[in-house]
C-alpha cells in the first residue's frame, strides 16, 4: 500500500511507502470499534511496561525457572493491555470458511461463515466476532448462528456478534457458523473497473474485514481459511492460497474454491472477482507465479510484474528465508491505488498497472514482513511498513548499486522532516493507538526503514542479516513485537540494544549536529569538536568521521557521542583535504555541519 504525496512511495487507502512508482490513493480509513467486553486489565503506562521488561530480563539471565514462567505470563498480559483492541482471552481462531454468493443484480452479498476456534483457558462463556451491524441500508444482517451444528441465540450489536458457548473444555475446538447478508459498507468494493466492467475486490486494511466477513478482525489472531464463492460463470475468482476447484453450475453460475493453508491475519484475506486474463508465467523456487489482469491490460501487466516480480521473489527468498505461501499472484484491482500485500495475492491499483507501473518490490517484501511475520498489535505496525520500506531499498542496493540505495535513503530523510513539522510529537511506535485513521504515517514507513538501516550500521551487516533470518525463522506464520526483534538482534550481535530501540522508536525527532575540526601538523592528528543542537536530551550516536586526503585516500573513523558535546582526536599521516560527518550515510540526521576552524 502506498502514499501518493511522498516521493519514492506507494499506497492504497493506507499511507504505504516504498518505491518511486506511485499513483493516487484514497485514505478513507474507518475508525476502530472500541466496544469492550470482558478482558484482562493491567496497567498501561510506559513505566509499568518498562518495569515488567526489566524484571523479565533479570529472570531470564538468572535462569530461575519458576520465576521465568511467571514473568512470561505477566509480560504477555501486559502486551495485551497495551493494545486498545478488546482481545478475547481463552479463544484462538484456527480456521475460517467463507461461503459467499455474489451477483450483478445488486451489491448485496449472501454469506455463510464457519469459524473454528480453539479454547485455550477455562471459563469461556462466549465467542465475539467482529461484524458490522446494519445501519442506513448497509451492514450485515445475521439470520442464524449455530454452534457445533446446533442453533443458538445470539446478539449482534455495535458491530459485535456475541455467540454463547457452553463452557467448552480448554484444548477443545468449537465450530461456529453464521448465516448473514447485506450490502458491505466497506471492505469489499463492488464497482466498475476502468474499462467499465463490473468487478468485486476486497480491501480489508486495517480493520475493514468486519464489513463483510465475521471474524476476529485484528492481527494478533491469525488463522487459515477458505473462500467458496458462487458468482456468474463469466467471472474469474482469485483469492489466497491454492485453487481447489471450479465447478460450473447449470444455472449459469460457477463455484470457485480457494484454500489458504498458512495462518494469516484477517486483513490479509483477499478476494477478487472480475473478467480476468490469467497468465501463469513461471514456477520459481517451487512456487507458481501468476498475473491476473483485465484483458485490455494483459500485455502491459505482464511487463510490469514478470521481471521485477520474479527478481524480488528470488532476492527475498535467498536473503530472508523460504517464501511462506502456496503461490504468488499479482492482481490488477479496481478501486485501489498503489498496492495491497494480501497473502499470496497482491492487489495493485488498476490505473497504475494500465500505465505500466506498480509498487512490486515493496509489496513482495510484505509477503515476508507483515504477512508471514505480523505485528502483534497496531502500535508495532512499523514491523510491517518499516521493513517493507527498507527491504525495497536493499533490493535497490543489490541491483542498482550503493549510490542509488543511498539516494533513496536521503530522499526518505526529507520525507521524515516534512512529517515532523506536522506531527512533532509522533514516534515510530504508537502509544496505545485507538484510532485506525492514524495508524499509518511517514514514521512507520521511512523512519522505520531508517531504524533498520541504523541497526545494520550499529551491529554490522553480517550480524544484521543473521538476525533478520533468525527473526523470520522464529516468528514466521505468527506474530511478533518490537521486543522480539530486539532480543534476536541482541543475541546475534552480543550487544545490549535497548538504548538503540528506545531512542529511535519511542522518541520523536532526530539528531542535529554541528562541529568544527582542526589539523595539528606537529602531532599528526585532527581534533574534532561536535555538538548535538537539536532540542531535548542528547542521543547516543555511534558516528563515523570521514577523513579525505589530498592523495584521494579516504577512511571513516568510528567515534561515539554519549552527551550533548564531544571532542575526538583522530591520527592522520598528512593534512586532510576535508573532514565530514557520517560520510557513508549510516545515521538519520536532520543536518550535520562540520567546518574547519
Amino acid at each position: 500500500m502506498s502514499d501518493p504525496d511522498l516521493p519514492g512511495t506507494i499506497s492504497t487507502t493506507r499511507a504505504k511507502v516504498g518505491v518511486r512508482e506511485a499513483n493516487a490513493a484514497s485514505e478513507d480509513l474507518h475508525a476502530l470499534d472500541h466496544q469492550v467486553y470482558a478482558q484482562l486489565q493491567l496497567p498501561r503506562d510506559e513505566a509499568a511496561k518498562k518495569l515488567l521488561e526489566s524484571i523479565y530480563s533479570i529472570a531470564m539471565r538468572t535462569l530461575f525457572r519458576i520465576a521465568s514462567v511467571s514473568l512470561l505470563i505477566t509480560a504477555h498480559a501486559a502486551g495485551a493491555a497495551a493494545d486498545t483492541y478488546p482481545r478475547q482471552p481463552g479463544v484462538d481462531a484456527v480456521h475460517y470458511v467463507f461461503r459467499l454468493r455474489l451477483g450483478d443484480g445488486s451489491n448485496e452479498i449472501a454469506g455463510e461463515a464457519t469459524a473454528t476456534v480453539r479454547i485455550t483457558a477455562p471459563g469461556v462463556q462466549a465467542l465475539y466476532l467482529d461484524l458490522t451491524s446494519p445501519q442506513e441500508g448497509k451492514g450485515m444482517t445475521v439470520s442464524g448462528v449455530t454452534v457445533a451444528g446446533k442453533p443458538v441465540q445470539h446478539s449482534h450489536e455495535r458491530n459485535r456478534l456475541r455467540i454463547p458457548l457452553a463452557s467448552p473444555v480448554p484444548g477443545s475446538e468449537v465450530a461456529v457458523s453464521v448465516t448473514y447478508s447485506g450490502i458491505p459498507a466497506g471492505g469489499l468494493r463492488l464497482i466498475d473497473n476502468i474499462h467499465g466492467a463490473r468487478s468485486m475486490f476486497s480491501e480489508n486494511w486495517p480493520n475493514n474485514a468486519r464489513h463483510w466477513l465475521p471474524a476476529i478482525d485484528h492481527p494478533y489472531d491469525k488463522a487459515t481459511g477458505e473462500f467458496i464463492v458462487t458468482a456468474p460463470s463469466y467471472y474469474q475468482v482469485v483469492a489466497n492460497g491454492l485453487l481447489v476447484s471450479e465447478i460450473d453450475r447449470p444455472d449459469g453460475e460457477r463455484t470457485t474454491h480457494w484454500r489458504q493453508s498458512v495462518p494469516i491475519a484477517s486483513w490479509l484475506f483477499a478476494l477478487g472477482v472480475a473478467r480476468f486474463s490469467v497468465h501463469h508465467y513461471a514456477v520459481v523456487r517451487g512456487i507458481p507465479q501468476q498475473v491476473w489482469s483485465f484483458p485490455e491490460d494483459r500485455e502491459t501487466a505482464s511487463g510490469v510484474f514478470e521481471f521485477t516480480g520474479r527478481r524480488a521473489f528470488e532476492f527475498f527468498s535467498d536473503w530472508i528465508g523460504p517464501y511462506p505461501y502456496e503461490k504468488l499472484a499479482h492482481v490488477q484491482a479496481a478501486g485501489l491505488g498503489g498496492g495491497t500485500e494480501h497473502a499470496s495475492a497482491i492487489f495493485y491499483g488498476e490505473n497504475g498497472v494500465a500505465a505500466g507501473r506498480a509498487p512490486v518490490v515493496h509489496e513482495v517484501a510484505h509477503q515476508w514482513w507483515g504477512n508471514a511475520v505480523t505485528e502483534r498489535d497496531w502500535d508495532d505496525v512499523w514491523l510491517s511498513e518499516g521493513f517493507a520500506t527498507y527491504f525495497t531499498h536493499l533490493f535497490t542496493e543489490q541491483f542498482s548499486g550503493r549510490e542509488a540505495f543511498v539516494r533513496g535513503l536521503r530522499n526518505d530523510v526529507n520525507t521524515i522532516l516534512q512529517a515532523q513539522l506536522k506531527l512533532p510529537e509522533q514516534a515510530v511506535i504508537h502509544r496505545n493507538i485507538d484510532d485506525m485513521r492514524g495508524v499509518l504515517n511517514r514514521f512507520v514507513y521511512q523512519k522505520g526503514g531508517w531504524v533498520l538501516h541504523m541497526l545494520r550500521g550499529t551491529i554490522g551487516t553480517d550480524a544484521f542479516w543473521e538476525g533478520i533470518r533468525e527473526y523470520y525463522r522464529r516468528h514466521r506464520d505468527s506474530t511478533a513485537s518490537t521486543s522480539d526483534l530486539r532480543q534476536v538482534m541482541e543475541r546475534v550481535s552480543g550487544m545490549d540494544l535497548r538504548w538503540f530501540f528506545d531512542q529511535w522508536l519511542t522518541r520523536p525527532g532526530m539528531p542535529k549536529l554541528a562541529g568544527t575540526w582542526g589539523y595539528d601538523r606537529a602531532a599528526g592528528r585532527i581534533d574534532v569538536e561536535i555538538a548535538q543542537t537539536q532540542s531535548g536530551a542528547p542521543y547516543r550516536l555511534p558516528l563515523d568521521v570521514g577523513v579525505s586526503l589530498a592523495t584521494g585516500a579516504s577512511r571513516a573513523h568510528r567515534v561515539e557521542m554519549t552527551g550533548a558535546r564531544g571532542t575526538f582526536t583522530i591520527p592522520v599521516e598528512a593534512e586532510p583535504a576535508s573532514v565530514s560527518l557520517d560520510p557513508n550515510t549510516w545515521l538519520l540526521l536532520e543536518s550535520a555541519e562540520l567546518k574547519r576552524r
Side-chain angles (χ1 to χ4, degrees):
M1 319 213 194
S2 53
D3 189 325
D5 297 330
L6 303 181
T9 66
I10 52 180
S11 76
T12 62
T13 53
R14 314 165 55 181
K16 284 201 125 169
V17 189
V19 297
R20 294 195 66 82
E21 310 96 300
N23 55 300
S26 62
E27 292 184 343
D28 54 335
L29 300 180
H30 297 265
L32 178 65
D33 171 42
H34 300 287
Q35 306 312 317
V36 179
Y37 46 85
Q39 61 175 313
L40 188 60
Q41 298 292 327
L42 286 175
R44 296 185 176 185
D45 60 278
E46 292 298 318
K49 289 192 285 184
K50 288 183 180 294
L51 177 61
L52 287 169
E53 283 187 344
S54 299
I55 296 172
Y56 174 65
S57 177
I58 294 170
M60 291 301 289
R61 285 198 299 269
T62 54
L63 298 178
F64 286 121
R65 203 172 207 179
I66 297 176
S68 295
V69 171
S70 173
L71 290 163
L72 276 168
I73 295 171
T74 303
H76 173 77
D83 187 2
T84 53
Y85 180 84
R87 302 189 186 208
Q88 297 185 61
V91 174
D92 175 29
V94 176
H95 188 73
Y96 296 109
V97 180
F98 302 115
R99 299 174 179 85
L100 298 167
R101 181 176 292 276
L102 308 172
D104 289 338
S106 75
N107 286 342
E108 182 171 336
I109 68 172
E112 180 185 339
T114 299
T116 301
V117 299
R118 181 180 296 112
I119 306 302
T120 61
V124 175
Q125 300 295 317
L127 170 67
Y128 293 84
L129 297 179
D130 297 298
L131 185 65
T132 302
S133 305
Q135 185 177 6
E136 298 179 355
K138 293 186 177 180
M140 295 297 122
T141 298
V142 176
S143 55
V145 176
T146 65
V147 176
K150 297 180 180 180
V152 297
Q153 295 295 319
H154 62 277
S155 60
H156 186 200
E157 299 175 350
R158 306 183 73 174
N159 306 324
R160 297 266 176 188
L161 178 61
R162 183 186 186 278
I163 302 168
L165 302 177
S167 298
V169 177
S172 63
E173 292 188 356
V174 178
V176 174
S177 293
V178 179
T179 303
Y180 64 101
S181 61
I183 298 175
L188 182 66
R189 298 173 183 265
L190 297 95
I191 58 175
D192 290 350
N193 69 17
I194 55 174
H195 303 293
R198 182 172 169 81
S199 62
M200 309 161 202
F201 288 95
S202 62
E203 190 178 16
N204 291 336
W205 173 266
N207 61 335
N208 288 334
R210 67 190 64 195
H211 285 297
W212 64 295
L213 300 175
I216 298 176
D217 193 11
H218 190 276
Y220 83 88
D221 200 347
K222 300 171 78 169
T224 55
E226 301 172 60
F227 277 107
I228 303 173
V229 179
T230 300
S233 59
Y234 43 79
Y235 288 127
Q236 289 76 44
V237 176
V238 63
N240 314 92
L242 285 179
L243 181 63
V244 176
S245 63
E246 290 181 298
I247 301 174
D248 287 326
R249 303 159 59 94
D251 57 2
E253 294 186 317
R254 177 185 296 130
T255 298
T256 306
H257 183 184
W258 288 88
R259 179 182 294 124
Q260 169 69 27
S261 64
V262 180
I264 58 176
S266 57
W267 64 269
L268 293 171
F269 281 104
L271 178 65
V273 181
R275 293 172 171 87
F276 282 116
S277 173
V278 185
H279 176 41
H280 301 261
Y281 66 87
V283 175
V284 182
R285 304 289 195 273
I287 304 298
Q289 314 279 309
Q290 307 165 4
V291 176
W292 295 62
S293 61
F294 306 141
E296 298 87 343
D297 303 314
R298 175 185 173 90
E299 295 301 322
T300 303
S302 295
V304 170
F305 297 118
E306 286 193 36
F307 179 75
T308 303
R310 176 170 186 152
R311 178 177 272 190
F313 185 91
E314 291 173 338
F315 176 65
F316 297 136
S317 296
D318 293 343
W319 283 85
I320 302 170
Y323 178 75
Y325 305 117
E326 299 96 335
K327 73 168 186 306
L328 180 58
H330 302 281
V331 182
Q332 184 180 16
L336 305 182
T340 306
E341 69 275 12
H342 305 119
S344 80
I346 303 171
F347 285 7
Y348 300 91
E350 57 184 340
N351 287 298
V353 174
R357 63 180 186 269
V360 180
V361 179
H362 185 96
E363 304 306 336
V364 173
H366 265 309
Q367 300 300 302
W368 283 261
W369 310 124
N371 294 10
V373 181
T374 305
E375 58 270 24
R376 194 164 297 146
D377 64 52
W378 299 121
D379 286 356
D380 273 339
V381 71
W382 84 277
L383 293 174
S384 173
E385 301 307 339
F387 269 69
T389 299
Y390 188 55
F391 276 76
T392 299
H393 288 316
L394 291 172
F395 178 89
T396 299
E397 183 180 34
Q398 176 75 9
F399 295 104
S400 300
R402 177 79 182 183
E403 184 177 339
F405 168 72
V406 169
R407 187 165 55 249
L409 287 168
R410 288 176 175 166
N411 286 339
D412 285 354
V413 176
N414 295 329
T415 299
I416 299 166
L417 289 172
Q418 293 171 13
Q420 284 182 179
L421 295 175
K422 298 178 181 178
L423 298 169
E425 300 303 316
Q426 180 67 53
V428 174
I429 294 178
H430 290 292
R431 301 182 181 96
N432 203 18
I433 189 168
D434 61 358
D435 186 343
M436 289 299 99
R437 290 173 296 183
V439 70
L440 294 174
N441 54 49
R442 277 69 166 170
F443 306 108
V444 301
Y445 288 92
Q446 283 95 343
K447 191 172 182 180
W450 256 99
V451 170
L452 291 175
H453 182 61
M454 290 188 290
L455 177 63
R456 175 185 167 190
T458 299
I459 68 176
T461 294
D462 289 344
F464 173 80
W465 279 111
E466 181 184 354
I468 285 296
R469 287 187 281 271
E470 177 63 12
Y471 173 66
Y472 179 70
R473 186 192 66 80
R474 287 190 185 192
H475 299 287
R476 172 180 167 177
D477 305 329
S478 185
T479 60
S481 66
T482 296
S483 179
D484 292 325
L485 174 64
R486 175 181 58 79
Q487 290 174 35
V488 170
M489 291 301 180
E490 286 180 334
R491 188 185 69 80
V492 299
S493 68
M495 300 168 64
D496 182 352
L497 296 171
R498 189 178 300 274
W499 66 271
F500 177 92
F501 281 80
D502 285 348
Q503 80 173 12
W504 292 116
L505 292 170
T506 66
R507 174 179 176 175
M510 67 178 76
K512 187 176 182 180
L513 304 181
T516 61
W517 68 275
Y519 173 56
D520 187 331
R521 186 182 302 276
R525 73 186 190 202
I526 58 172
D527 297 310
V528 182
E529 294 183 359
I530 308 171
Q532 297 191 39
T533 61
Q534 77 281 346
S535 61
Y539 288 79
R540 177 177 169 181
L541 300 177
L543 174 65
D544 288 341
V545 179
V547 179
S548 297
L549 303 179
T551 61
S554 63
R555 61 181 181 270
H557 298 262
R558 177 64 59 95
V559 301
E560 178 131 349
M561 287 196 72
T562 56
R565 306 185 70 86
T567 301
F568 309 97
T569 299
I570 299 173
V572 293
E573 61 271 23
E575 182 174 358
S578 65
V579 180
S580 61
L581 299 179
D582 191 36
N584 296 318
T585 315
W586 285 111
L587 275 179
L588 177 61
L589 300 170
E590 181 174 343
S591 62
E593 297 180 341
L594 190 63
K595 299 179 180 179
R596 185 165 187 169
R597 56 179 180 269

